[in-house]
Structures are given as C-alpha cells and as structure tokens.
C-alpha cells in the first residue's frame, strides 16, 4: 500500500532523514518507534506531503507521490493525525469533524456512524468548542476528523502523548477495530512501548534519521532491539 524508498530530508543544512525505507500494508499496523529527535515526525510529514523530500520517493498503491501536494494525497486516501492534534480550537466539535469533508465528493459529506460508535463523547459534545475539550477528547476528535475522510491509510503521530490511560485504551481499541473491520492500513508513531507491542503487526525503529530495525512486535523484548529505545 505504502512504499517509502531511500527518503532523505534536509532542513537547511540539517539532515533529518538519511535514506529511510519503509512499507505499510492494508489491514496491518506498522509502528515506528524511537527516541525524541530521531526523525519520526519528519518521516510522517514527508509521507503525507507536508515536507518535500530532498531525494528518495513515496508511493501509494503503486502511484508515485513525489510531486503530489498534501491535499492530493488526502484525496487519494491518506489521512493524518498530527502530533499535538492540531484541531481548530474555536470551531465546534461538529465543525471540526466537517473539516474532514474537504477531499470528499458531495454525496459522501457526512460523518460515518462508526466515528460516534468508536468515540461516543464526540456525539455528546457536537456543539462544544474544540478548545474546551480535554487533551484526550481532543485526540479522539483529531482521529474522528481523519476518519471522516474515509481513509485507506491512517498516519498517526504519537496519539497517546499526554493522554490519560483510560483514553489510551479507547484509542487502542479504535485502531484495532479500524484495521480488523475496515482493512485500513495504519502507520503509528509511538514512544509508549507497551501500546506498540499490543497493537503492531510490524515494528520499525528509527535512530539518527535511519531505520535501524524492522521486524515483528515480539522483537521488542530482545536486548539488541531495546538498546535503541533506552535513553
């Protein structure tokens, strides 16, 4: 579904990605782990079109995306839940969800019922401003907004960051449901090791702008893998 090949990215003279290659499959959860500052968010933003690669390529369903803008990638079926959520604080929950209509045809511009089934609090708070929600509720809203787009691939950048444990469990159940019931491919950036271990079909570990390990979630218990995740 997704294939990143030899991705290199610079911010001026600083190099964030150093020849990264990554694949993601339909109905699979691909987790990207690593310490702070190793290039995980840069990789995600390159996939969704927020940063243009210096060299290398990104392909989705066999189609090269290197010249595609972020909105074209959204229309092709890639949805992004950024680190920090980035909801619209002055818009209502309903309006935030409706902002996901942008890449859809007119007949598809409604909120799918499974969004409210996964996150019932959103239906209860449709009239409330996004900025008045708790951090966990805002995270559910950000994921709900992405699901409104009917994505084939969902890119999640640290969805558990700063979230209370009960909502982390809700988010985990939602991710598993989306994979199993809708066949959505999911790329999940995480630092919360147990969350990744429970969900991931495949794990990629980044260090200093490189993928240094790829394998099943069970590998996370190996000493040679753990060394990349300890400070």
């Amino acid at each position: 579904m997704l294939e990143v090949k030899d991705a290199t990215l610079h911010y001026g003279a600083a190099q964030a990605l150093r020849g990264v290659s990554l694949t993601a499959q339909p109905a699979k959860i691909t987790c990207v782990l690593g310490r702070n500052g190793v290039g995980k968010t840069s990789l995600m933003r390159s996939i969704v079109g927020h940063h243009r690669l210096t060299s290398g390529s990104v392909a989705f369903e066999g189609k090269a995306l290197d010249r595609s803008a972020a909105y074209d990638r959204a229309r092709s079926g890639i949805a992004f839940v950024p680190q920090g959520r980035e909801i619209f604080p002055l818009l209502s929950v309903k309006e935030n969800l409706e902002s996901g209509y942008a890449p859809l045809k007119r007949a598809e511009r409604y909120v799918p019922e499974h969004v409210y089934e996964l996150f019932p609090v959103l239906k209860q708070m449709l009239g409330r401003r996004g900025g008045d929600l708790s951090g966990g509720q805002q995270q559910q809203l950000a994921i709900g907004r992405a699901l409104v787009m009917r994505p084939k691939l969902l890119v999640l950048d640290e969805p558990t960051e700063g979230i209370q444990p009960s909502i982390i469990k809700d988010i985990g159940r939602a991710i598993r449901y989306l994979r199993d019931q809708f066949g959505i491919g999911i790329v999940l950036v995480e630092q919360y090791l147990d969350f990744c271990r429970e969900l991931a079909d495949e794990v990629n570990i980044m260090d200093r702008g490189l993928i240094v390990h790829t394998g099943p979630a069970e590998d996370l218990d190996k000493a040679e893998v753990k060394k990349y995740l300890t400070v």
Side-chain angles (χ1 to χ4, degrees):
M1 174 177 273
L2 174 75
E3 185 173 19
V4 181
K5 276 188 178 180
D6 299 322
T8 300
L9 176 68
H10 290 80
Y11 300 114
Q15 188 169 2
L17 301 177
R18 304 170 183 271
V20 171
S21 295
L22 175 83
T23 60
Q25 305 297 332
K28 299 288 184 184
I29 298 170
T30 302
C31 191
V32 180
L33 282 166
R35 306 180 187 98
N36 282 330
V38 298
K40 304 186 302 296
T41 292
S42 293
L43 176 59
M44 297 307 107
R45 290 186 173 271
S46 298
I47 289 169
V48 300
H50 291 187
H51 297 321
R52 179 159 290 188
L53 293 174
T54 307
S55 63
S57 63
V58 178
F60 181 62
E61 295 186 320
K63 178 183 176 183
L65 298 180
D66 306 316
R67 297 182 180 275
S68 298
Y71 51 81
D72 287 324
R73 300 185 197 204
R75 289 190 183 111
S76 72
I78 300 175
F80 184 39
V81 181
Q83 185 179 21
R85 302 177 281 274
E86 295 184 16
I87 58 133
F88 299 104
L90 299 181
L91 297 184
S92 69
V93 168
K94 181 174 182 288
E95 290 165 336
N96 268 280
L97 291 172
E98 289 174 347
S99 69
Y101 290 172
L104 299 177
K105 297 175 182 176
R106 188 172 298 276
E108 297 173 332
R109 292 186 175 181
Y110 60 90
V111 179
E113 195 56 39
H114 65 262
V115 172
Y116 296 131
E117 292 170 356
L118 290 171
F119 305 120
V121 69
L122 299 181
K123 195 164 191 176
Q124 298 163 17
M125 296 185 172
L126 285 174
R128 188 171 299 187
R129 289 196 308 183
D132 294 336
L133 303 184
S134 70
Q137 291 165 348
Q138 288 184 10
Q139 187 66 69
Q140 292 177 82
L141 176 57
I143 297 172
R145 176 179 61 186
L147 296 180
V148 167
M149 296 166 53
R150 281 64 158 186
K152 301 173 187 175
L153 178 72
L154 181 61
V155 178
L156 296 154
D157 194 352
E158 298 208 25
T160 66
E161 184 181 36
I163 304 301
Q164 57 265 45
S166 61
I167 294 186
I168 289 176
K169 289 181 180 178
D170 290 340
I171 290 172
R173 281 192 291 269
I175 291 171
R176 198 176 287 112
Y177 178 84
L178 294 168
R179 175 194 63 187
D180 296 343
Q181 297 299 317
F182 294 97
I184 295 175
I186 295 166
V187 178
L188 171 66
V189 168
E190 260 306 326
Q191 288 195 62
Y192 184 17
L193 194 59
D194 289 341
F195 188 75
C196 183
R197 185 186 284 109
E198 288 174 11
L199 290 175
D201 295 296
E202 182 171 89
V203 173
N204 296 267
I205 298 177
M206 289 192 71
D207 188 42
R208 299 181 183 181
L210 294 165
I211 299 283
V212 293
H213 172 82
T214 298
E218 305 89 76
D219 286 355
L220 292 173
D221 294 319
K222 295 180 179 178
E224 63 268 29
V225 174
K226 284 184 176 180
K227 69 182 181 181
Y228 292 113
L229 302 172
T230 54
V231 177

